DNA sequence: TTGAAAGCGCTAACAC
DNA sequence: GTGTTAGCGCTTTCAA
């Protein structure tokens, strides 16, 4: 490709490569380089289609214009959407994104973080999959980290998340207000904060309504939710409503209800979390909470850029965003 | 973070950094380094938690273990899924992925490619958005490129795609065989091969059945498809069936049909391309073709690794994968 | 206002 | 078997 280096440009321009470097880094003013020199250098650089190699700079200054993004999997719409926004924001800000997936696998997570660090990333955005608070705090001293969607309890690392406790409580209350008493919650993996917070909200709302929480399930997977819901609907408890904590689960619930001939919402009410363009088309349309994904990505990036631009601003911040209810036809008032 | 370098390790081990480098690159055997030395070096390296800096190596050998992945947007499920697979494959193969989005914007595409190249990527996987065949051929001489999902007509660059011509023809025939005569096709952006090939298949099937093709629309956007379908259904032509080339469009079509009180499939049959976990839940379930995304990603990566492993194997190859029909309830036989 | 020279961490010729 | 040395392309003192 472009074989031009500072040296070749310098030779053509009849100046030293130092000067070329300064001009091309917009430091001409700072070093009081003559307008004439600056002009020639820029002209030659353009003429020869000079393209600096960031790696060479990286090795020197030990920092790159790369941001590491660590998510469970972008096959999940929520993370795909967030990641898409982040990648775009980064690009607009002059950063390239290294996106890695860790499949909620702690070993993989550790490995990928080390990989990213060895590649001199300037900053990191992570939806943590495991309890690596201390490790992250250690890294955060040198490489700014922002947690997104989830946070590690007790870790002093900035985060931008939904107000998941509110989500759980709000949806539960929504069902309670409509007369439901036997409200089950199909929980996801309970170690991640987004889930545990929602569960906490659910339990709290149930307690406040003098109802007994009923938690079951352990994954976000559709298939598992399907089987678990089958069990649940056949059980003695037989809820009149189910609170699903993610869309994958909701699909499993719907499938199970259909299979057993339970009509939604007549025989079973369902509410869930997260939205996407398909949700309006499944019938009945499921009442759901939608998280402000675009805003979440935006705030997260801004928070990161702030620390990147001013390495002194080490104050960690926690941001909890409010979500929006989208009412469908999946809840019956009884 | 880890401040260790080859030098520090060498000092601790009492050998030269060359030796350390050789050992840590698994070339001990090649240089007939004594087992004793090798053992000590490895021990010290581990002890000091040594982490090599790929950038330093990159600048020396002018190649990194980074693969650039260029897609329109991962907010689109198809690309999210493919990208997810590719990222995972790459990670398993020791490569980190730089994922960039170009939003089907030619200027952005050019800029991002240059960016990736300046970062010394080892290889590139791209779903091209514009007609940059010559440019890619030029790059391909030094950096292996594989096109995925789409290919640039006339460019001598490897590709792994669906057999999109077959998809278009097959779905059209499916409708023809069920007695439909007025079959409209809501096309996407016609400059990308995946779309144009599907259109070609549609037109061919129509011609063979002595029917007049009726193409309309120009984007994959739900909202646009919605309005265009409204127009179409109100028009004189009034198709009995619509071939949608992507899921976003299909949603727009369904919405338009609902709005005008057209029952699917009684008043309007619909078929579309691509599947995802929500498609089974929208009602009626839309008959659709599903592309072998996992396999597509796999073959694409393997093809790339082959060239990466053996720089001489410069033979470009075109792979066209077959897709699978998923029958729903969206087509009426008339 | 500009340049020379050193050095970032690593690899690879070449030597012994 | 192992080490010396040069150099990848860039930035950054330090000097002029």
């Amino acid at each position: 490709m472009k074989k031009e280096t500072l040296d070749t440009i310098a030779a053509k321009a009849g100046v030293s490569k130092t000067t070329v470097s300064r001009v091309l880094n917009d430091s001409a003013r700072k070093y009081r380089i003559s307008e004439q020199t600056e002009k020639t250098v820029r002209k030659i650089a353009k003429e020869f289609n000079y393209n600096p190699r960031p790696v060479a700079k990286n090795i020197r200054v030990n920092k790159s214009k790369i941001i590491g993004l660590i998510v469970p999997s972008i096959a999940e719409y929520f993370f795909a959407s967030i990641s898409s926004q982040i990648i775009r924001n980064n690009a607009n800000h002059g950063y390239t994104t290294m996106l890695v997936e860790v499949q909620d696998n702690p070993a993989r997570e550790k490995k990928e973080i080390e990989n990213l660090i060895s590649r001199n990333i300037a900053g990191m955005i992570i939806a943590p999959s495991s309890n690596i608070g201390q490790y992250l705090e250690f890294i955060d001293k040198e490489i700014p980290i922002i947690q997104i969607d989830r946070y590690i309890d007790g870790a002093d690392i900035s985060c931008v998340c939904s107000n998941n406790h509110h989500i759980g409580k709000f949806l539960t209350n929504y069902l309670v207000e409509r007369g439901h008493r036997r409200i089950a919650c199909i929980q996801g993996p309970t170690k991640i904060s987004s889930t545990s917070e929602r569960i906490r909200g659910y339990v709290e709302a149930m307690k406040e309504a003098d109802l007994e929480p009923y938690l079951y399930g352990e994954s976000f997977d559709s298939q598992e939710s399907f089987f678990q819901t089958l069990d649940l609907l056949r059980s003695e408890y037989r809820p009149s409503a189910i609170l699903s904590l993610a869309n994958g689960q909701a699909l499993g619930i719907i499938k199970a209800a259909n299979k057993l001939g339970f009509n939604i919402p007549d025989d079973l009410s369902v509410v869930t979390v997260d939205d996407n363009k398909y949700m309006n088309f499944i019938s009945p349309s499921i009442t759901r909470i939608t998280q402000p994904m675009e805003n979440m990505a935006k705030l997260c990036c801004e928070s990161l850029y702030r620390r990147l631009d001013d390495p002194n601003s080490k104050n960690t911040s926690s941001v909890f965003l409010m979500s929006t209810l989208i009412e469908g036809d999946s809840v019956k008032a009884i």
Side-chain angles (χ1 to χ4, degrees), chain A residues 78-96:
Chain A
F78 176 79
F79 287 114
S81 175
I82 291 236
S83 302
S84 173
Q85 308 277 357
I86 291 176
I87 289 171
R88 218 167 314 164
N89 289 344
N90 287 349
N92 290 337
H93 224 79
Y95 287 93
T96 304

Side-chain angles (χ1 to χ4, degrees), chain A residues 90-130:
Chain A
N90 287 349
N92 290 337
H93 224 79
Y95 287 93
T96 304
T97 310
M98 276 194 162
L99 172 58
V100 302
E101 296 192 338
V102 299
Q103 259 69 48
D104 275 325
N105 175 337
R108 189 138 204 166
E109 182 170 51
K110 190 90 186 295
K111 188 166 145 272
E112 291 290 9
I113 291 177
E114 278 181 358
N115 173 25
L116 288 176
I117 290 174
S118 74
R119 290 179 186 283
N120 278 358
I121 53 170
M124 187 166 121
I125 296 175
I126 181 170
S129 291
S130 57

